Amino acid sequence: MAIDDIRNDLGDQTWADVLRAMDRTYAELVDYQEQLESRNAELTNLRHFLSSIMVSINDYLVVADKHGAIADASASFSALVGIEVADLAGRPLRDFIAEADADGLSEAMAETVALRRPHTHSANLVTPDGPEPVEFSIAPQLDRRRKSTGVVLTGRPMGALKRAYAELERSHEALKQTQGQLVRNEKMASLGRLLAGVAHELNNPISFVYANTHTLEKYLATFETYFERVQAGASREELVALREALKLDRNLRNLAQVVQGARDGAERVRDIVEDLRRLSADGAGEMTNFDLLETARVAVNWIERGARADLRISYGGVAPCMVRGRSGHIQQVLMNLVQNAVDAMEGMDDPALRLDLHYEGARAVLEIRDTGPGIPAAEAQAIFDPFFTTKAVGKGTGLGLSISHKIVEEHGGTLELVERAGPGACFRLSLPRGGTA
């Protein structure tokens, strides 16, 4: 083969190789271009997504470089400080932080950049409407080599939260005042019923004492008249006639009865005062042993005095029944239970109340049963809830049983509504057993 032919063949082959290389390079360029366009599309979508986040986020979002200059910010932050987002770029973040908080926030940002560890810091933002307390969560901004290039701050406004807490505190305080007022109303209602019974009970013996005192005054006048004539030296015949006219013999016979009646009335008043003294004992001191039966009798007597109808009251079980507690507080509980029973039987024929006492191991138990209409099962579950009442509007606050339940619990006892055969409701009071009488 001639040398020229060989050269021609080599040239054609080289040219073909060059063309194939160009084809491959072009194909790679096209593929690279497609990948680049895809990445650009992804970046564009990501930029739009981030922009939508920056616009819609309610919390304050700020991106700053390692020197504290703002690179980007959310629309909420821009609206808060009153400056457009574009005008915020490049400005130091500390320009928008209260002077007293600026150094602390800058140190927290520097520490986040250096240690690449999130921090939380509170600071006041400077706004046209005044300082706004914000809690910032500071996170490091990292590049592809995991080096810190800046920080991302997410701020949550604390002003609204503080205002909400303040409003909640005001509402809670108002609720406590309302509850306190209702408790006072309940106590005043109980006091009113008690005073009605006291007034009724005191009226009888005091009226009796007053009437006997008036009689004694009349007797005194007749005796003074007689003895004046004696001292004047009247004759025996005149004194006999005067004695008969003044009816001194009859008055002398009645005098002992009048004195005894006045004494009985005074003693009755003394007993009422003694009951009041025991009832008014607040029981704030140490717990003592006392007879639950006697305490129950006093409670029943007071409620019975103020009742508008005659009650059949009976007792059963052990006597005395010793418990340990504060008698004044338990007295209030029993008065409330008895009063509720009396109210439930209002208007009924032959209302009756039964109190049974017994021991169950280390507990003393008192069951109070009435002959009223009872408590429906649907209401029994809520009977001790505050403000729950089965009475008509204006006749009860719904706090009596709730307060009683709490008092009994403080004594280490229980107060419950129990089911028993027969009419009416039955409450069961259990208290720690006390020593012997």
Side-chain angles (χ1 to χ4, degrees), residues 46-66:
L46 181 59
R47 188 177 295 109
H48 291 160
F49 177 69
L50 291 176
S51 297
S52 64
I53 291 178
M54 299 295 276
V55 170
S56 62
I57 190 171
N58 290 326
D59 290 348
Y60 310 134
L61 183 62
V62 180
V63 180
D65 61 22
K66 61 176 62 178

Side-chain angles (χ1 to χ4, degrees), residues 214-425:
H214 183 67
T215 301
L216 287 174
E217 289 178 346
K218 291 172 56 179
Y219 289 170
L220 178 61
T222 60
F223 290 143
E224 287 177 345
T225 301
Y226 180 79
F227 286 117
E228 284 176 358
R229 295 304 305 155
V230 171
Q231 292 177 355
S235 65
R236 185 175 183 279
E237 291 76 9
E238 181 184 352
L239 292 176
V240 170
L242 182 61
R243 181 168 184 165
E244 183 178 353
L246 294 175
K247 301 178 181 179
L248 291 186
D249 294 333
R250 187 190 68 178
N251 290 345
L252 283 173
R253 290 193 301 270
N254 293 337
L255 184 61
Q257 297 179 356
V258 172
V259 172
Q260 183 61 40
R263 178 181 297 172
D264 291 342
E267 288 178 350
R268 183 57 186 156
V269 172
R270 181 199 61 191
D271 293 340
I272 293 173
V273 172
E274 177 63 19
D275 285 346
L276 276 175
R277 185 192 64 80
R278 281 192 278 175
L279 181 63
S280 63
D282 60 4
E286 295 182 358
M287 292 192 177
T288 59
N289 296 325
F290 63 94
D291 184 6
L292 184 59
L293 174 60
E294 180 61 25
T295 303
R297 288 186 186 277
V298 173
V300 171
N301 288 341
W302 279 117
I303 301 302
E304 187 181 14
R305 288 163 183 155
R308 299 179 181 177
D310 293 332
L311 295 174
R312 284 192 302 108
I313 301 170
S314 58
Y315 299 86
V318 298
C321 185
M322 301 303 297
V323 296
R324 186 165 183 80
R326 299 182 177 91
S327 60
H329 287 178
I330 300 303
Q331 183 84 69
Q332 296 173 23
V333 171
L334 293 175
M335 287 188 65
N336 183 67
L337 294 175
V338 174
Q339 183 65 59
N340 285 346
V342 172
D343 292 343
M345 296 184 291
E346 185 177 359
M348 299 184 66
D349 295 333
D350 194 23
L353 193 66
R354 172 75 179 180
L355 292 87
D356 288 296
L357 300 100
H358 62 276
Y359 291 120
E360 292 183 0
R363 317 288 290 183
V365 178
L366 166 63
E367 291 186 352
I368 302 177
R369 185 206 308 264
D370 61 59
T371 56
I375 299 174
E379 299 177 352
Q381 298 297 324
I383 197 67
F384 294 109
D385 291 349
F387 310 112
F388 178 84
T389 179
T390 58
K391 298 179 182 179
V393 176
K395 292 189 176 182
T397 63
L399 287 173
L401 284 177
S402 176
I403 295 173
S404 297
H405 191 271
K406 183 177 180 181
I407 291 174
V408 174
E409 281 188 339
E410 291 173 351
H411 280 70
T414 59
L415 178 62
E416 55 186 334
L417 174 67
V418 296
E419 294 185 4
R420 289 287 186 273

